Amino acid sequence: MEAHEEKPIIYTMENKPIVTCAGDQSLFTSLYTSLAQQLPREPMEWRRSYGRAPKMIHLEANFVQFKEELLPKDGNRALLTFPFLHIYWTDCCDTEMYKVSVKDDMLRWQSTLRLHGSVDWLIVVVESEAKKKNKTNILPRTSIVDKIRNDFCNKQSDRCVVLSDPLKESSRSQESWSSFLTKLRTLLLLSFTKNLGRFEDDMRTLREKRTEPGWSFCDYFMVQEELAFVFEMLQQFEDALVQYDELDALFTQYVLNFGAGDGANWLGSFCAPVKRWNGLLLRRPIDMEKRELIQCGEASLLDLRSYLFSRQCTLLIFLQRPWEVTQRALELLHNCVQELRLLEVSVVQGALDCWVFLSCLEVLHRIEGCCDRAQLEANCSHTVGLWTYATEKLKSLGYLCGLVAKKGPTSEDLNRTVDLLAGLGEERPETVNSLQSPYKKLNEALSSVEAFEKHYLELSHAAMEMYRAIGRKRSARLVGKSLAEFYMKKGDPERAEGFLEDSLRSYVAEGWSLQVTHTRKQMAECQKLLQQTEDYLQTSALLAGDANLTEEERKHFCQEILTFASQPPAPSDQTVALSMVAFAQLRQMQFSPPGAVVHVGAALQLELRLRCQMPVAVQVEQLAATLHFSLEQGGARGRAGSAQRRTGQGPQGQGDGVILFPQGSLLAGAGMGATLPPALELCEMQDRSPSDSSLNSTGVVCKNMHLLLRRHDSSASLDTPTAGALPAAVAVDDGAQMLRARDITLQPGDNSILFTAPTGEPGSYTLRQLCGSVGRVQFVQSHIYPVVQYEVYSQEPQLTIEPLSDNLLAGIPQKVKFTIATGHYSVKKGDALQLSNTDSMPILHSSCCSATILSSTGEHVGESGLSIQSSEKVTSISLPPTPPYHTLEFQLEVLCHIPSTPFKPDSERLTNGEVRHRPKSHSHSDSAMINIDQKVSIDCPWSIYSTHISLTFYVPFKAKHSILSAGKRKYIQVCLQNVSDTNFHLADPVLTERQPTTSVELLSLNAKTQQPVCSQQSVFCLWEMRWAKHLPLCLQCVFSASFAPVSASDTRTAFKPYRYEFQLDRVSTLYSLKAEILPPSGDQHCRTGALCGLEVSITRQAEPSETEGEEEESTEIEGLRTTKLMYEVVDNSSNWAVCGKSSGVVSMPVASSATHRVQMEVMPLFAGHLPFPNIKVFKYLPHSAVPAIQPDTDSCLENDNISLLDKGLDDQGDTASIRSRGSVHSVGSGEQQRGLPMPRLEPFSPGQVFNWSQGRQVLVLPVTDDHVMEVNVT
Amino acid sequence: MAVCIAVIAKENYPLYIRSVPIQNELKFHYTVHTSLDVVEEKISAVGKAMADQRELYLGLLYPTEDYKVYGYVTNSKVKFVIVVDSSNTSLRDNEIRSMFRKLHNSFTDVMCNPFYNPGDTIQSKAFDSMVSAMMVQVS
């Protein structure tokens, strides 16, 4: 109700649109309460121009008494004081009264309104029953309303409303209220739309004039803010914010244009030097001081920005968007700094920092004021930026004011501080009483070193914690690192160390090399202060090898190490072990010889290629590689085979023995190392049985499984070696064997170092550690990967004898090769091999015998003569001096005599005389050679035991003999077969009797004395036997010949004898057979199918001698001594059919020239010259002679007999029916009784029966009427 | 226009990083490295919200007083970071986007090179000159 003072609005929230009330004031007063209550109760849709979305708004109004002064004068665009609606209240129900006073009053009101161009009015006529009752002479109530409508509302009848009984609780009254309120709201909105639209149009017009010279941003600002105020008044915060944002954007654009050279005059006031930097003020809805400054055009840029932001902040908080405030605040602060820079506004150094710091804290306080704790914690990500910014600014202020320096602020610093504090001005009244205001904080922080530290730490830790809480680890570390820098400045390295270490670890893990270098440098400084010598040296080593640093810096750090190294060692600590990685990198290793397998004591060199990371040459007193020695399974012997096994082995194992080490620079390696898994380290595994070292199982083992299968979590991934603590394993183990190189100068870059590897013990050597000593400092690489190892083997001396050719032939000199692998034994002068001589295999030594000495790699080392001395029992070969692990080779000729006795196929005679039965026959077929195993027993100088070596010789020949007869004359044929692969010359074949007797003369029929015998060919020799009286029953002959290989150079000496002994029994001819085939009578020739006569005459040639007579059973029959013979005619080739009797027994009288003739019938089955059928003669022994024969062979023979006859039967085919088995017996021994033992047949030995008709043929003609001709075409 | 351009591997080590004022190199390295925090935050937020809708451009990662840091992440989680000067107000979101697109195309070319080992630092001259062009254009 109060009329407003001249200075009306400050707090827009408390403002309401003004509605004036004219007419009956008491009436209005009575209705005011309910009206004010009911108006905002229901929302109203506000349709707006320019396509803006309609809104539902709750209307409120400030009802004031109508005064003419309230009406805006021309040009006054103040919207907040603008009366949007004018209401005239009347409860007049008397026509007279209306006419007399009310109408005039209304007319006056109307004219006043019209004068000011206001068309937003309403006349309210209140009706009440009570009043009506009092007045009896009243007109119908409508008439007053009608009159008013008639008088004032020409066409706008809705401008007059009736309110019935407003103070009563009736439905009529309510209805009337509701329609009245609706009308009121509609009219209010109508007025808003109209008036605001007009205002906006004006505002736009003003804005369009901004290029005109006199245009002022501040004026325009006030105009648009007026609109914002109205929207805020209407609680349209969104729209209000839009107004401010538009202003913000407009101003920003001007600043940018100014920066681009398009300056506006009005902007000059904003370019004034900044004099106050007291930060944002967000605690008041409207900062009137600043607003006034803007209004007067005296505001600085910071003032304008601060005011604008405070308004935006207020509206955003109304809109419940506090996080937008923080975001906008950060943008604003950054923007302001930029704008001041752009406009080249002069600012006291540090002033902006103060402003930003205060502003950050002010925003944070404001946000804290409107949010609860949980909300704040959940939205750290929005506030942390401000916290960090404040921290940074405070830090820079601290540096500026000398609060970080160890000594404390200087007077200059203090002056600066005072200036800065002066710019803050007085603390604002809102916060004077609060304990912790941004103002107080800054004041306090700048007042003393301690307070600064307290506040700075507080802020830093808050920021760090927030970053950690939202998972921004890198940001947190950056804050931590900045804190570390602060501590370092303060001279407090203990507290800095942790932060630096943490940061460094993360940079190393993620492979950011520049950060690593930078942080490491800080770390080095810190460690130096802390006197952590070892760590410092390690860091220095890393820095000295860091390519990101300048040459001078690297040299400096390198010098740090060298200086320390050259200092005399303190008594307490011995040496300092550092990681090799920083100092130098292993690039390559190369073994020479490449196989890396050598025998004991051999020279093995290892070339190491080391890339030195240091910027200057470093003198290394000793570079040593520790060796791990292991005696491998199956150690000392048989290592020759392992050389092949090893060559293809090893992860980088190339044929040339080069082992490459993974490349990559130190930093990249560290970065990658964290991300890539280590390479598989595989080795083969063989499980051998302990007893006989046979392979049980084999497999592949992964050696670094513990690394590969390790759990990978975030902390472990950062676990790479850094400048911090080294792994404990750097300890140098002294006891083990080492590869050593002394006094080396390592130049920057690649260096080549040669080691001589110890090969004293057989076994496997693995390189474990690499350690370089520089004075007191040792650089240690705790393990070498890929695994580098070499093997040393030991070998027993060994003698082998092997033939030069495939087979050694007996009888002729053969060369054998002696090979001595000296192994670990060194052959000294005077050492000799003692070969025990045997008769059957003499060693033929010639003077020009020399031995070749080969090295272990097969290189020819030397040659020297051998002296061979033979005594009766031993042959001694004195060996030339030979170093160990060499091979001595020489050749000797040996001769194996062919044993003269004929061999039985299944027995062999050894040269030492013993006959050994071998389980398997070596000469099972005719062509196979007979072999002789010759054992040689050798005494070697390196062993007390004799070495037995067996050589197998093969007899090159095979001899057979046979006796040939011609009537009574006898010939001996010897067949000599060459079963070897060599061609021979055969000379002087001689056949002699073993015990020469005069009775027999052997006449050679062989023409040549020398003839070749090719491989696998035979030579036949023939001798005629002549005898004087009669032949001896048994003749023992010796065949001898000499032979030599065709290839032999000296034929005369090369000829070697060959002997073959054999025995001939019963060689003299006892009987002669003569057969004659007679054609059938009357025919000149035999014809097929016609029976012919076969006459066989058996003639005794000689009387059996005494000895023979014993064998031959003779019987006395009728005083005549006879022997019984059985004959048989068999035709195996089915040329003949024997008809009738084919065999029979004849008794031959024991008298010379006694002849027995047998007639038989045969039938030729084919035409042509047919050979005679076979005629066989056997001795026929009657059963009485059985006891002389062993019983078991008897039955055997009997069966043979039968089978023999059966065979004959079968062969004879269709004539079989003619004969019967019984006939044999009946003919042979008619008097014999059945049941008695069977008589026996015994064959004659070859030569005893001579067949005159052997090979004779008879012409058989075909049958004349044979009209069937068989033609066989094959 | 850009003052620093960086390509960062999936494992967060730099594949390529170049900045224009050489003396500030270290600062840019720190800035880029720290921006990975926000990149990760944004990736994980996107991962939760809309896995299928692939917006590679991450927008402004964070502003500092002097610089604005923008991020972009490829489907293979390689990150691109572009730092521009705050005073350079002519750069709008669209320009930044197109810069990232160019960068991505060029990076794809690098990856297509059969002699390039994925995970190695980028030493391609073509890539380098493209980056140089982006840096020089306005500034």
Side-chain angles (χ1 to χ4, degrees), chain A residues 566-640:
Chain A
S566 59
Q567 279 167 6
S572 57
D573 54 353
Q574 292 300 309
T575 52
V576 175
L578 302 177
S579 166
M580 173 79 93
V581 186
F583 176 70
Q585 279 179 296
L586 206 51
R587 306 297 295 206
Q588 181 184 317
M589 281 197 199
Q590 187 167 11
F591 279 108
S592 160
V597 178
V598 291
H599 56 73
V600 170
L604 179 70
Q605 284 192 322
L606 178 62
E607 190 193 334
L608 205 72
R609 193 155 299 166
L610 209 57
R611 175 165 293 178
C612 184
Q613 309 273 345
M614 294 296 112
V616 293
V618 178
Q619 183 74 28
V620 178
E621 283 139 40
Q622 174 181 287
L623 188 69
T626 323
L627 288 171
H628 172 79
F629 172 73
S630 73
L631 196 72
E632 263 190 24
Q633 277 268 310
R637 278 179 68 97
R639 298 316 298 240

Side-chain angles (χ1 to χ4, degrees), chain A residues 752-947:
Chain A
S752 180
I753 300 133
L754 208 61
F755 288 113
T756 304
T759 52
E761 288 282 317
S764 175
Y765 294 79
T766 310
L767 268 66
R768 280 286 163 87
Q769 279 191 351
L770 199 61
C771 174
S773 312
V774 183
R776 292 167 66 196
V777 179
Q778 283 195 320
F779 292 99
V780 180
Q781 181 160 351
S782 53
H783 65 277
I784 294 171
Y785 179 82
V787 175
V788 177
Q789 61 180 51
Y790 65 92
E791 279 181 42
V792 175
Y793 64 90
S794 153
Q795 194 184 19
E796 289 297 318
Q798 211 171 357
L799 169 71
T800 50
I801 302 175
E802 48 198 10
L804 271 182
S805 53
D806 288 346
N807 290 326
L808 288 172
L809 294 176
I812 51 171
Q814 295 284 291
K815 279 197 171 165
V816 289
K817 190 167 92 172
F818 282 67
T819 309
I820 298 169
T822 54
H824 59 72
Y825 181 78
S826 141
V827 179
K828 294 171 283 293
K829 198 171 158 65
D831 279 344
L833 293 178
Q834 309 280 343
L835 277 73
S836 43
N837 290 345
T838 51
D839 294 335
S840 55
M841 197 190 78
I843 287 156
L844 313 169
H845 51 84
S846 52
S847 55
C848 58
C849 191
S850 71
T852 312
I853 300 167
L854 301 171
S855 74
S856 57
T857 51
E859 285 169 67
H860 193 276
V861 171
E863 205 157 318
S864 66
L866 281 177
S867 71
I868 302 171
Q869 283 157 355
S870 278
S871 69
E872 197 180 335
K873 290 211 166 148
V874 290
T875 303
S876 165
I877 306 167
S878 55
L879 301 170
T882 313
Y885 296 102
H886 277 60
T887 309
L888 192 65
E889 282 180 357
F890 58 90
Q891 292 176 6
L892 276 188
E893 276 197 333
V894 293
L895 180 68
C896 175
H897 294 302
I898 300 171
S900 51
T901 43
F903 303 109
K904 286 186 174 123
D906 58 347
S907 75
E908 282 143 28
R909 177 142 311 191
L910 303 175
T911 42
N912 51 8
E914 55 178 320
V915 175
R916 205 158 58 115
H917 291 277
R918 312 203 89 201
K920 205 173 116 188
S921 172
H922 282 238
S923 56
H924 49 275
S925 73
D926 270 358
S927 60
M929 291 189 275
I930 295 162
N931 58 10
I932 309 156
D933 274 0
Q934 195 80 40
K935 269 204 173 161
V936 189
S937 169
I938 304 162
D939 287 328
C940 303
W942 54 79
S943 170
I944 55 164
Y945 301 105
S946 299
T947 309

